[in-house]
Amino acid sequence: MSARVLVVDDVPANVKLLEARLSAEYFDVLTASNGTEALAMCARAECDIILLDVMMPDMDGFEVCRRLKSNPATHYIPVVMVTALDSSSDRVRGLEAGADDFLTKPVSDVVLIARVRSLTRLKMMTDELRMRAITSLEIGVQAPERSAVADTGKGGRVLLVDDRPSSYERLVPVLTGEHAVDLETNPSEALFRAADGDYDLLIVSLGLDNFDGLRLCSQARSLERTRHVPILAIADADHNTRLLRGLEIGVNDYLLRPVDKNELLARARTQIRKRRYTDHLRDNVQNSIEAAITDALTGLHNRRYMESHLATLAEQASSRGKPLAVMMLDIDFFKSINDNYGHDAGDDVLREFAVRVRKSIRGIDLACRYGGEEFVIVMPETDMHVAGMVAERLRRSIAGEPFVVNKGEKRIEVTISIGLSTLETKGEAVADVLKRADVALYRAKHDGRNRVVANAA
């Protein structure tokens, strides 16, 4: 796994050392000697992760990090502060500025590479989600960047897995000050509880009695319902090897005992902010997918989806020797509804029509808005006789009760005309099936509307 790493340090010797370490692991290394230069490079999206020195002349690392994390265009880039400052207050200051981690010089090669790899994996996942969600801006779905920048990371749901009273009795009160905290002292039950709890963060002690905390972390990563929940591991100071292994299997962050309460809160907030941001991205992707295949007014599938899915259903019907019916529907005199009652009333009719359609068909049937006031229903494993019965039931459902429009002010009579066709030969083109249904629909309208006409071939 390669990535572009930006090293920001005003001391050339430090830059060369980090550049050599990272290049040896096949990372692409970029360098900047001051904060202004680093901000400009990040604004051009030239890097995947930043190794940032704190003590620099023009602008210190804390300020650079604050600017990066407050900018919607750069806030998602992971920042690791690398500095000689080693006090807990310095780490908290860096984390509160938005840093994803804080490494103290001299940094072990193993720790450095493990941290860069871990954050790079998360960055690549975020990049993919961001790329998929780009179209959400075009369809009116709000991008989550600004809300992510403003998010405090507080008010999360946290599950703490710890079986040492001396540990959890200290941690729970600290976390409760900012989050809703559940404690699980039985590690064997922790995975089930995590899966059912919709948590924003899992905090796992790696010093569990008679239970491997890393195995729990691995199981959480492999389970669909907990795969994307961030994990913060807590370990004893001599557990470096286990922590590095944890980063490889998907642990997002870690703390060493004795745990500083301010650092605990800062790291928890960071992980919760990331969780909320990626959740927003996934929601945008899902909304984009739904918008691409769904008619916004009626909630039915759109023509694009129908044409693609109909071909698949027809192929399945042919290969299995099963019937397939297609129903084409048109709302009678729809233009006059718009002319006489207004386009809002026309929209009311279309929405209510979609509701009645859903109530009249099966779950396996595919209902689509074909265009304007024309609709198509595809019915797998349905012959002409059954299709005719369904069509007649739907026709009666539409004609049997007036449609309420204009916020309940008016009730108008609505009828539909329906044309039916079926897949007649194995491998027949779906365009031919639709054409026959369209011809049957034309006959229904020509013969007086408000009726069902079968296959006009």
Side-chain angles (χ1 to χ4, degrees):
M1 174 184 56
S2 185
R4 294 165 298 178
V5 183
L6 174 60
V7 176
V8 187
D9 198 315
D10 63 322
V11 179
N14 292 341
V15 173
K16 288 187 178 297
L17 180 60
L18 287 173
E19 188 175 10
R21 290 175 173 179
L22 294 163
S23 297
E25 297 295 329
Y26 302 100
F27 288 103
D28 183 13
V29 182
L30 308 173
T31 63
S33 59
N34 58 65
T36 302
E37 185 181 355
L39 290 171
M41 294 176 72
C42 293
R44 296 192 296 268
E46 293 182 359
C47 63
D48 296 306
I49 185 171
I50 304 164
L51 299 183
L52 178 63
D53 185 34
V54 171
M55 308 303 292
M56 293 185 295
D58 70 324
M59 185 189 311
D60 68 23
F62 297 125
E63 179 60 24
V64 174
C65 189
R66 270 192 293 270
R67 294 192 185 189
L68 287 168
K69 294 299 184 176
S70 63
N71 184 348
T74 58
H75 81 95
Y76 59 88
I77 303 174
V79 176
V80 179
M81 306 195 89
V82 184
T83 176
L85 302 175
D86 62 354
S87 71
S88 175
S89 60
D90 291 321
R91 287 197 300 274
V92 171
R93 187 181 174 193
L95 293 166
E96 289 181 343
D100 296 84
D101 204 352
F102 195 101
L103 299 181
T104 304
K105 298 176 182 177
V107 181
S108 156
D109 285 2
V110 176
V111 172
L112 173 68
I113 299 305
R115 207 68 187 102
V116 170
R117 282 178 175 160
S118 173
L119 288 170
T120 297
R121 278 195 299 268
L122 293 173
K123 167 67 162 47
M124 288 179 173
M125 178 193 73
T126 303
D127 282 348
E128 185 173 351
L129 283 171
R130 290 180 67 251
M131 181 176 63
R132 292 181 182 179
I134 286 297
T135 54
S136 64
L137 296 176
E138 300 171 3
I139 63 173
V141 178
Q142 184 180 4
E145 274 74 16
R146 295 200 177 276
S147 61
V149 168
D151 190 356
T152 63
K154 297 180 180 180
R157 296 199 68 232
V158 178
L159 177 64
L160 172 64
V161 184
D162 195 342
D163 56 5
R164 295 186 194 173
S166 61
S167 173
Y168 63 69
E169 287 175 359
R170 182 168 180 267
L171 298 178
V172 170
V174 172
L175 292 164
T176 303
E178 294 188 354
H179 309 286
V181 182
D182 290 335
L183 172 66
E184 180 54 70
T185 59
N186 183 355
S188 300
E189 296 295 323
L191 187 64
F192 301 103
R193 190 163 182 182
D196 292 336
D198 190 26
Y199 290 102
D200 298 305
L201 176 65
L202 303 182
I203 301 179
V204 180
S205 170
L206 299 189
L208 300 169
D209 289 336
N210 302 316
F211 198 94
D212 187 349
L214 284 184
R215 183 165 298 281
L216 175 59
C217 296
S218 175
Q219 290 170 338
R221 279 291 164 264
S222 63
L223 192 65
E224 180 63 30
R225 296 176 69 177
T226 55
R227 182 165 295 160
H228 303 298
V229 181
I231 300 173
L232 174 62
I234 297 179
D236 294 326
D238 58 351
H239 283 180
N240 275 338
T241 302
R242 287 176 58 74
L243 282 173
L244 295 176
R245 181 64 178 143
L247 292 174
E248 291 177 3
I249 64 175
V251 169
N252 300 80
D253 201 359
Y254 61 86
L255 277 166
L256 296 178
R257 301 182 193 277
V259 174
D260 177 82
K261 66 177 184 179
N262 292 318
E263 186 174 354
L264 169 64
L265 290 173
R267 291 187 185 273
R269 288 194 295 265
T270 296
Q271 295 305 319
I272 290 171
R273 278 197 300 267
K274 286 183 182 179
R275 162 67 188 243
R276 289 170 177 167
Y277 175 60
T278 54
D279 280 353
H280 287 161
L281 285 176
R282 288 190 186 92
D283 289 344
N284 278 10
V285 170
Q286 185 60 38
N287 289 337
S288 300
I289 293 171
E290 290 178 1
I293 66 173
T294 305
D295 174 63
L297 180 63
T298 63
L300 301 177
H301 289 296
N302 59 22
R303 179 171 180 167
R304 177 182 177 186
Y305 180 81
M306 184 276 294
E307 290 176 341
S308 173
H309 197 52
L310 175 57
T312 302
L313 292 174
E315 183 180 341
Q316 290 177 350
S318 293
S319 63
R320 297 172 183 173
K322 299 288 187 179
L324 177 77
V326 172
M327 184 189 306
M328 191 166 282
L329 314 88
D330 187 274
I331 299 176
D332 297 331
F333 303 111
F334 186 74
K335 183 177 182 300
S336 67
I337 295 175
N338 283 330
D339 292 343
N340 294 329
Y341 301 99
H343 288 278
D344 287 345
D347 288 349
D348 289 340
V349 168
L350 290 171
R351 280 189 286 264
E352 174 60 21
F353 175 77
V355 170
R356 298 190 193 186
V357 165
R358 289 194 192 92
K359 290 179 178 178
S360 300
I361 62 177
R362 303 166 301 178
I364 64 170
D365 297 332
L366 176 68
C368 311
R369 187 180 181 189
Y370 199 60
E373 68 274 22
E374 199 167 56
F375 297 79
V376 170
I377 298 173
V378 183
M379 296 178 286
E381 300 186 18
T382 306
D383 59 22
M384 184 62 79
H385 175 69
V386 174
M389 294 172 59
V390 174
E392 184 58 32
R393 182 174 70 228
L394 178 56
R395 186 198 65 78
R396 290 196 302 268
S397 169
I398 301 301
E401 183 178 350
F403 281 53
V404 177
V405 299
N406 294 339
K407 298 181 180 179
E409 293 180 1
K410 296 185 181 299
R411 295 163 63 86
I412 60 177
E413 303 290 336
V414 177
T415 63
I416 58 172
S417 300
I418 301 176
L420 296 175
S421 69
T422 56
L423 187 68
E424 293 191 344
T425 59
K426 187 174 183 179
E428 181 181 16
V430 293
D432 293 340
V433 184
L434 283 170
K435 178 64 176 176
R436 289 201 307 277
D438 189 43
V439 171
L441 173 61
Y442 178 80
R443 268 186 52 200
K445 294 165 70 173
H446 183 268
D447 292 347
R449 294 182 167 84
N450 190 22
R451 66 193 61 225
V452 177
V453 171
N455 201 345

